């Protein structure tokens, strides 16, 4: 660095020597002339620079004003065009309903009234047919045309054949183009400027009339041009001949010397060209800056002239030294200011802004030149808070600002507003005198937004919890303190934490034993991490004091302060439990009734079955009595006869015991059961009916079947019902002996839908069933029997589905002829568990026999 400065210093010294030598070579007059011309040249150069800068700023301001005018005019046009397009789409839908006869004139008036109430710019809504006759018309209250048929020719708002009017031209255009048409502006009967949109009614490709909606130009301007646009610029609607129809600014009566706007921008108004133009007009605001600029120019030129005339080389050197030191200090302070994100603003005791840092300028969007020297009200004050900010400024100037700061609204240069917090401290000069106030401003918009969102989220969450029908509570594990409870909890248990403990501790759980190397929280000695990760385990709890059943779900969580807490959700399920109990009781009664009905239907078969052993016993007894009286029986013969009599009695007892076990009332109880045992019991009981009807049954039970977790009596009831129905179908159809067979098969299956199941199937060789019967087979109280109750198969389906199984029926075909019917139901099992390790023999066939001793 030192080596680089040496050549520069040498060159400066040579230049100074050359200038000094040249100056000394000049005559005194010439030196005076140069001394006089020098300040003048400097002043002229400075004036030229200031003038160029002013014109540049003025051009920039005009460009900004032009852009703002163009933007505001486009916003106003888009607001009006979007509203007109939305109305047009609604009118097209109404026209479609009118054509398809979905609405009549009365309904049209109702819809037109609703359409008009939501759109204040609509003057009237009329439905005219292809002959231009008014079918229905709806007008605003201030628009007097109650009778649509009165003087139609004199009304300029209605089309009339042979009359040149804007309404007639729009009507003809809509009829030709078959598209919505906007009319040119015209004055209606009340003298207001309006225009129409006419939507054609097309009925089967023929023109059936139009829907006419008349818009008020003045209402469109009033309701759909944003207020902020009209405050900044003048907006005017022009007709086809540039005639002013409506304007947001009206001239005072007798005032004709108004200054013409210096800026304007035109855009078409309606969605389609109808001659209406929207014009935005503005004025340049740079006129007031000229005087202020000239004032500062004169001050600067005066200071420069005094400095040029009174400065000397010695003063220049001293000033240069001071200036260098000042530049260094300024650069240091500027670097500090630029690195800060907090806005700084200094004011004197009169409230005039004397200093702003770059952070403050970046925060507000105003440059330092825009703010320095301003008195209140400041441009970054929102217009609706000027009085409040003035009061806060007076409080600040009086030294009564709160230590914690003041929360204020600040408006940026683009008009957007943000929240800020302002801190004020006195500004002291080197002499210890207060010269003003230093204010620091921090943007708190994001922090306030997050705080408001958190507050709103908490309020919504609390509202949802308070509105739940379930009781929600949170209990501190360490102190047993109720941290939160909703309305339902307070209604049932009040603010007592014992209600939470009653619900949570109603069933003993397995205590958690932590590992020795686990990190264990100090709260109650419970490990926080495993507890908070454990999901809710629902259980049902009965509260004796409330006479209510609850579905309770609990889980551990960390509260907002880090404490371990238990959350509990208890839902009242008393009504559900009562319904479930009633349904269970009804199902039990239905099952019992079905078994009794089945036994009642088999009464004759049971009587015949019991008659055989009883007849045999009677014969044996009579024979033994006769031979004892005659003395012709030996002891061995007597013992043999008594043994045969005992076996017949035992056979009758088994039949009665089996029937009693089947029909006795018992609680449904699911237990592990073997499929072959269920089949044996069902076949034994059904064999009574099968033998009476001379029907043979063949059974096949696969070996090594897993255990079934079912109620054996209910499954036996289903099998008995299916076997009895099959036998009745064969017997009632008087099938020949070759087709009087039933096949019962029990085999394991595995399907993607059901998984591992055991399938029970009953196939007969009867006449089958009709398709309409198959469709209604499981309907309650539907039966194909003359004396049937229609609950057998419906109850069978309920029993199978209660065991998570499925039942289905289908006809068996040989070609196109029906050869029988097949009922099959499945019961889910775990095929990986093989409970029947030993081979199970097939259940023997049961055939009808006429031998009474069989």
């Amino acid at each position: 660095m030192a080596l680089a400065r040496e050549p520069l210093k040498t060159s400066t010294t040579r230049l100074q020597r050359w200038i000094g030598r040249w100056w000394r070579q000049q005559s005194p007059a010439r030196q005076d002339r140069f001394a006089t011309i020098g300040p003048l040249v400097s002043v002229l150069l400075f004036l030229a620079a200031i003038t160029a800068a002013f014109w540049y700023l003025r051009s920039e301001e005009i460009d900004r004003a032009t852009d703002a005018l163009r933007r505001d005019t486009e916003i106003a046009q888009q607001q009006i065009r979007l509203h007109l397009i939305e109305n047009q789409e609604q009118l097209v839908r109404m026209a479609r309903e009118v054509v398809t006869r979905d609405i009549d004139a009365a309904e049209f008036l109702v819809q037109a009234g609703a359409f008009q109430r939501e759109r204040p710019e609509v003057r009237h809504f009329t439905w005219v047919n292809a002959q231009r006759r008014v079918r229905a018309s709806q007008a605003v209250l201030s628009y007097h045309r109650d009778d649509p048929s009165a003087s139609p020719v004199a009304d300029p708002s209605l089309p009339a054949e042979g009359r040149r009017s804007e309404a007639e031209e729009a009507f003809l255009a809509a009829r030709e183009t078959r598209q919505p048409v906007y009319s040119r502006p015209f004055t209606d009967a009340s003298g207001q400027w309006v225009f129409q949109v006419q939507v054609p009614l097309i009925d089967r490709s023929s023109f059936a009339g139009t829907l006419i909606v008349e818009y008020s130009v003045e209402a469109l301007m009033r309701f759909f041009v944003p207020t902020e646009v009209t405050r900044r610029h003048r907006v005017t609607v022009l007709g086809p001949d540039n005639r002013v129809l409506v304007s947001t600014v009206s001239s005072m009566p007798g005032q004709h010397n108004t200054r013409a706007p210096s800026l304007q921008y035109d855009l078409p108004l309606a969605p389609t060209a109808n001659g209406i133009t929207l014009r935005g007009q503005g004025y340049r605001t740079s006129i007031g800056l000229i005087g202020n600029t000239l004032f500062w120019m004169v001050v600067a030129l005066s200071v420069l002239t005094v400095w040029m005339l009174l400065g000397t080389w010695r003063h220049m050197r001293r000033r240069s030294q001071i200036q260098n030191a000042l530049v260094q200090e300024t650069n240091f302070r500027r670097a500090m200011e630029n690195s800060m994100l907090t806005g700084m603003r200094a004011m004197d005791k009169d409230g005039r802004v004397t200093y702003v840092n770059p952070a403050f300028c970046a925060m507000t969007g105003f440059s330092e030149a825009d703010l320095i020297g301003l008195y209140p009200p400041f441009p970054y004050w929102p217009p609706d808070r000027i009085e409040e900010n003035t009061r806060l400024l007076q409080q600040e100037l009086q030294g009564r600002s709160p230590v914690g700061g003041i929360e204020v609204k600040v408006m940026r240069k683009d008009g957007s507003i943000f929240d800020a917090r302002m801190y004020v401290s006195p500004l002291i000069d080197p002499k210890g005198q207060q010269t003003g106030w230093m204010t620091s401003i921090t943007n708190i918009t994001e922090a306030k937004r997050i705080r408001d969102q958190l507050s709103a989220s908490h309020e919504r969450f609390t509202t949802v919890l308070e509105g739940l029908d379930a009781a929600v509570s949170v209990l501190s594990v360490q102190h047993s303190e109720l941290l939160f409870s909703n309305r339902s909890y307070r209604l049932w248990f009040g603010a007592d934490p014992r209600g939470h403990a009653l619900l949570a501790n109603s069933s003993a759980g397995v205590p958690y034993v932590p590992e020795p190397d686990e990190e264990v929280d100090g709260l109650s000695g419970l490990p926080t991490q495993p507890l908070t990760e454990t999901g809710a385990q629902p259980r049902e709890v009965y509260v004796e004091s409330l006479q209510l059943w609850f579905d309770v779900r609990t889980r551990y969580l960390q509260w907002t302060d880090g404490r371990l807490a238990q959350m509990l959700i208890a839902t009242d399920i008393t009504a559900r439990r009562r319904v479930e109990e009633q349904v269970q009781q009804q199902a039990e009664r239905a099952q019992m009734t079905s078994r009794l009905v089945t036994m009642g239907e088999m009464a004759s078969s049971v009587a015949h079955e019991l008659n055989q052993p009883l007849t045999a016993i009677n014969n044996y007894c009579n024979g033994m009595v006769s031979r004892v009286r005659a003395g012709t029986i030996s002891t061995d013969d007597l013992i043999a006869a008594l043994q045969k009599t005992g076996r017949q009695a035992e056979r009758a007892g088994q039949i009665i015991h089996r029937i009693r076990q089947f029909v006795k009332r018992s609680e449904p109880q699911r237990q592990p059961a073997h499929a072959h045992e269920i089949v044996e019991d069902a076949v034994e009981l059904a064999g009574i009916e099968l033998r009476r009807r001379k029907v043979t049954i063949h059974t096949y039970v696969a070996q090594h079947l897993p255990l079934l977790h079912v109620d054996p009596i209910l499954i036996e009831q289903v099998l008995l019902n299916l076997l009895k129905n099959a036998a009745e179908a064969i017997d009632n159809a008087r099938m020949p002996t070759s087709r009087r067979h039933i096949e019962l098969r029990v085999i394991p299956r595995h399907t993607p839908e059901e998984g591992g199941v055991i399938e029970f199937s009953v196939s007969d060789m009867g006449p089958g069933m009709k398709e309409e019967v198959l469709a209604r087979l499981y309907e309650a109280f539907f039966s194909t029997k003359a004396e049937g109750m229609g609950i057998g198969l419906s109850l069978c389906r309920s029993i199978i589905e209660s065991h998570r199984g499925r039942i289905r029926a289908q006809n068996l075909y040989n070609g196109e002829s029906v050869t029988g019917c097949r009922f099959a139901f499945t019961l889910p099992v775990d095929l990986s568990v093989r409970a029947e390790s030993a081979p199970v023999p097939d259940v023997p066939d049961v055939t009808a026999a006429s031998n009474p001793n069989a």
Side-chain angles (χ1 to χ4, degrees):
M1 182 67 67
L3 295 177
R5 289 179 178 177
E6 286 297 328
L8 180 62
K9 186 175 181 180
T10 303
S11 301
T12 303
T13 303
R14 290 178 180 177
L15 180 60
Q16 290 177 353
R17 290 177 181 176
W18 182 83
I19 294 176
R21 188 167 51 253
W22 176 81
W23 179 258
R24 286 190 296 271
Q25 291 176 357
Q26 306 299 322
S27 62
R30 187 180 280 275
Q31 290 180 354
D32 293 338
R33 190 178 300 111
F34 282 123
T36 304
I37 295 175
L40 295 178
V41 172
S42 300
V43 169
L44 292 176
L45 293 176
F46 183 79
L47 180 60
I50 292 297
T51 304
F54 169 75
W55 283 109
Y56 175 76
L57 294 176
R58 182 170 179 274
S59 301
E60 287 289 327
E61 184 176 358
I62 293 174
D63 293 339
R64 287 195 298 270
T66 303
D67 294 339
L69 175 62
R70 181 184 297 106
R71 183 173 57 254
D72 288 347
T73 305
E74 290 175 352
I75 290 174
Q77 182 219 27
Q78 290 176 1
Q79 292 285 342
I80 297 175
R81 287 172 65 95
L82 289 176
H83 188 74
L84 293 178
I85 292 173
E86 179 184 357
N87 292 352
Q88 177 180 322
E89 293 175 353
Q90 181 66 21
L91 291 173
V92 170
R93 287 193 292 270
M94 291 182 64
R96 192 179 299 113
E97 293 178 357
V98 169
V99 170
T100 56
R101 309 297 195 275
D102 287 341
I103 60 174
D104 54 10
E107 293 176 345
F108 172 81
L109 290 178
V110 172
Q111 292 191 13
F115 181 89
Q116 209 165 17
R117 282 192 299 272
E118 297 174 356
R119 296 163 177 82
E121 75 280 4
V122 176
R123 295 283 294 169
H124 72 85
F125 195 175
T126 305
W127 173 11
V128 298
N129 60 13
Q131 290 75 31
R132 301 174 178 81
R133 287 196 294 272
V134 177
R135 293 289 305 277
S137 180
Q138 177 72 26
V140 296
L141 295 177
S142 60
Y143 188 80
H144 302 288
R145 187 163 56 84
D146 298 333
D147 186 7
S149 61
S151 302
V153 178
D155 191 348
S157 298
L158 294 176
E161 188 173 5
R163 184 183 67 184
R164 292 183 58 83
S165 64
E166 306 298 340
E168 175 65 15
E169 292 179 1
F171 180 87
L172 296 176
R175 186 175 64 183
E176 293 295 330
T177 61
R178 306 295 178 90
Q179 297 291 333
V181 175
Y182 286 83
S183 71
R184 297 166 70 87
F186 62 92
T187 56
D188 61 0
S190 61
Q192 295 190 12
W193 283 100
V194 298
F195 68 92
Q196 295 179 347
V197 56
Q198 297 196 19
V199 179
L201 303 176
I202 308 301
D203 186 7
R204 298 183 182 90
S205 301
S206 62
F207 181 78
T210 62
L211 296 182
I212 302 176
V213 174
E214 187 171 279
Y215 292 103
S216 171
V217 180
E218 186 272 335
L220 284 174
M221 289 285 290
R222 185 170 69 253
F223 290 108
F224 298 101
V225 176
T227 306
E228 58 271 15
V229 174
T230 57
R231 284 202 301 261
R232 291 193 296 264
H233 302 101
R234 175 179 180 179
V235 181
T236 305
V237 176
L238 305 178
D241 53 352
N242 287 335
R243 180 178 180 179
V244 177
L245 304 183
V246 178
S247 178
T248 57
V249 178
S250 301
S251 302
M252 297 296 293
Q255 183 179 359
H256 300 288
N257 296 327
T258 58
R259 183 164 59 94
S262 57
L263 303 174
Q264 69 179 25
Y265 184 69
D266 295 344
L267 288 173
L269 181 62
T272 57
N274 63 341
I276 302 179
T277 303
L278 185 69
R279 172 174 292 177
Q281 297 175 324
Y283 297 87
R284 299 172 182 170
T285 58
S286 59
I287 300 176
L289 299 176
I290 297 178
N292 193 16
T293 304
L294 293 176
F295 170 75
W296 287 107
M297 186 185 303
V298 172
V299 172
L301 289 176
S302 300
V303 172
L304 181 61
T305 303
V306 171
W307 177 76
M308 290 292 293
L309 295 176
L310 301 179
T312 60
W313 180 81
R314 187 168 302 200
H315 290 120
M316 284 290 298
R317 186 176 180 182
R318 179 63 180 170
R319 185 179 297 274
S320 177
Q321 294 176 354
I322 296 175
Q323 185 176 359
N324 291 335
L326 180 61
V327 167
Q328 293 178 359
E329 182 69 19
T330 302
N331 291 338
F332 177 74
R333 296 186 53 153
R334 183 69 66 182
M336 292 181 59
E337 295 171 1
N338 293 338
S339 64
M340 295 176 59
L341 298 178
T342 302
M344 306 295 294
R345 180 199 65 186
M347 295 188 304
D348 58 17
K349 291 186 175 182
D350 296 331
R352 183 174 63 90
V353 177
T354 58
Y355 167 78
V356 289
N357 71 337
F360 186 88
C361 296
M363 194 178 297
T364 60
F366 292 95
S367 64
E368 183 178 357
D370 296 333
L371 299 175
I372 297 298
L374 292 182
Y375 287 90
F378 299 118
Y380 49 82
W381 284 2
D384 57 342
R385 292 179 176 264
I386 292 180
E387 295 183 1
E388 179 183 356
N389 288 337
T390 302
R391 178 180 57 81
L392 294 176
L393 179 62
Q394 294 299 326
Q395 180 179 338
E396 177 183 350
L397 295 178
Q398 295 172 8
R400 294 187 290 107
S401 297
V403 179
I406 305 172
E407 189 171 323
V408 296
K409 297 283 187 180
V410 179
M411 183 177 69
R412 296 187 180 91
K413 192 173 184 179
D414 59 2
S416 59
I417 297 177
F418 65 93
D419 296 294
R421 183 168 293 277
M422 181 174 64
Y423 302 89
V424 181
S425 59
L427 194 61
I428 308 299
D429 64 0
K431 297 180 181 181
Q433 301 294 327
Q434 181 178 352
T435 59
W437 301 92
M438 176 62 73
T439 305
S440 64
I441 298 179
T442 304
N443 189 343
I444 62 171
T445 303
E446 187 64 19
K448 185 176 180 181
R449 184 184 65 82
I450 295 175
R451 184 175 66 248
D452 293 342
Q453 288 181 351
L454 290 176
S455 177
S457 176
H458 179 267
E459 183 178 355
R460 290 193 298 268
F461 182 69
T462 304
T463 302
V464 171
L465 291 181
E466 290 292 331
L468 289 176
D469 293 333
V472 181
S473 59
V474 180
L475 186 74
S476 173
V477 175
Q478 183 177 12
H479 304 291
S480 297
E481 175 189 356
L482 193 62
L483 303 176
F484 174 80
S485 62
N486 70 339
R487 179 184 59 83
S488 298
Y489 181 91
R490 296 192 298 271
L491 181 64
W492 286 325
F493 304 103
D496 192 356
R498 287 179 294 181
H500 181 106
L502 176 64
L503 295 172
N505 301 326
S506 57
S507 61
V510 179
Y512 177 81
V513 180
E515 297 293 336
D517 57 347
E518 278 190 285
E519 293 185 2
V520 180
D521 193 281
L523 298 175
S524 297
L526 295 177
T528 306
Q529 183 69 16
L531 288 176
T532 55
E533 291 180 354
T534 303
Q537 298 179 354
R539 62 181 183 274
E540 296 181 357
V541 177
Y542 181 72
V543 179
E544 185 70 27
S545 59
L546 299 176
Q547 298 293 315
L548 296 175
W549 279 93
F550 292 94
D551 179 79
V552 180
R553 299 169 184 265
T554 59
R555 70 169 301 160
Y556 290 93
L557 51 84
Q558 277 193 311
W559 197 240
T560 55
D561 56 1
R563 288 185 290 175
L564 180 64
Q566 185 187 49
M567 182 179 68
L568 180 144
I569 302 175
T571 306
D572 183 9
I573 60 171
T574 305
R576 192 191 76 189
R577 286 293 296 259
R578 292 173 180 171
V579 171
E580 290 175 352
E581 291 175 359
Q582 293 176 359
V583 170
Q584 184 177 1
Q585 294 173 1
Q586 292 291 343
E588 294 173 6
R589 286 196 290 269
Q591 294 163 7
M592 182 64 187
T593 302
S594 177
R595 291 198 291 270
L596 292 175
V597 169
T598 301
M599 287 295 100
E601 294 175 351
M602 295 174 59
S604 60
S605 300
V606 172
H608 175 72
E609 192 72 14
L610 288 175
N611 185 56
Q612 292 181 4
L614 292 177
T615 301
I617 292 172
N618 184 43
N619 293 336
Y620 284 134
C621 289
N622 290 334
M624 286 186 292
V625 169
S626 299
R627 294 184 65 182
V628 168
R629 286 176 179 176
T632 59
I633 187 170
S634 63
T635 302
D636 294 336
D637 294 338
L638 180 61
I639 291 174
L642 289 175
Q643 288 177 346
K644 293 179 179 180
T645 304
R647 285 195 295 270
Q648 294 298 327
E650 183 180 356
R651 177 185 174 190
Q654 289 178 351
I655 295 174
I656 295 174
H657 176 73
R658 186 68 194 91
I659 294 174
R660 182 176 177 273
Q661 287 294 111
F662 181 73
V663 300
K664 76 175 182 179
R665 179 183 295 274
S666 62
E667 295 293 330
Q669 183 177 6
R670 296 190 183 183
Q671 58 190 10
H674 294 279
H676 73 89
E677 293 178 356
I678 297 175
V679 171
E680 287 178 357
D681 293 341
V683 170
E684 180 181 353
L685 195 56
I688 300 173
E689 181 73 11
L690 299 181
R691 285 190 291 272
R692 185 178 71 85
R693 297 184 181 273
K694 295 181 175 57
V695 177
T696 304
I697 180 171
H698 302 279
T699 62
Y700 171 76
V701 180
Q703 298 181 359
H704 306 294
L705 291 176
L707 284 174
L708 293 171
H709 190 72
V710 297
D711 188 331
I713 297 298
L714 296 181
I715 303 303
E716 182 181 338
Q717 180 178 350
V718 174
L719 283 174
L720 179 59
N721 201 330
L722 296 179
L723 292 172
K724 186 173 69 69
N725 288 346
E728 290 177 355
I730 293 174
D731 193 31
N732 293 338
R734 301 182 184 278
M735 304 302 293
T737 305
S738 60
R739 294 187 59 179
R740 301 179 77 87
H741 300 284
I742 298 176
E743 182 183 18
L744 171 59
R745 294 177 61 84
V746 183
I747 59 175
R749 286 188 180 276
H750 189 279
T751 62
E753 297 81 9
E754 300 179 84
V757 296
I758 291 181
E759 181 184 70
F760 295 75
S761 62
V762 177
S763 304
D764 62 59
M765 302 180 69
M769 290 182 291
K770 299 179 180 179
E771 293 298 331
E772 56 269 17
V773 175
L774 286 174
R776 302 183 58 190
L777 200 58
Y778 303 107
E779 291 185 9
F781 309 111
F782 171 76
S783 176
T784 58
K785 305 174 185 177
E787 299 179 356
M789 298 178 61
I791 63 174
L793 287 177
S794 176
L795 186 60
C796 290
R797 181 179 183 179
S798 300
I799 292 173
I800 297 303
E801 290 183 349
S802 69
H803 287 77
R804 302 193 310 275
R806 296 183 183 180
I807 185 170
R808 55 188 176 273
Q810 62 183 2
N811 285 326
L812 301 177
Y813 293 90
N814 184 7
E816 296 183 356
S817 60
V818 177
T819 60
C821 184
R822 180 176 182 269
F823 279 83
F825 64 88
T826 58
L827 296 175
V829 295
D830 186 1
L831 292 180
S832 62
V833 179
R834 300 287 181 178
E836 302 181 12
S837 57
V840 178
D842 291 350
V843 178
D845 294 348
V846 179
T847 59
S850 60
N851 183 5
N853 296 324

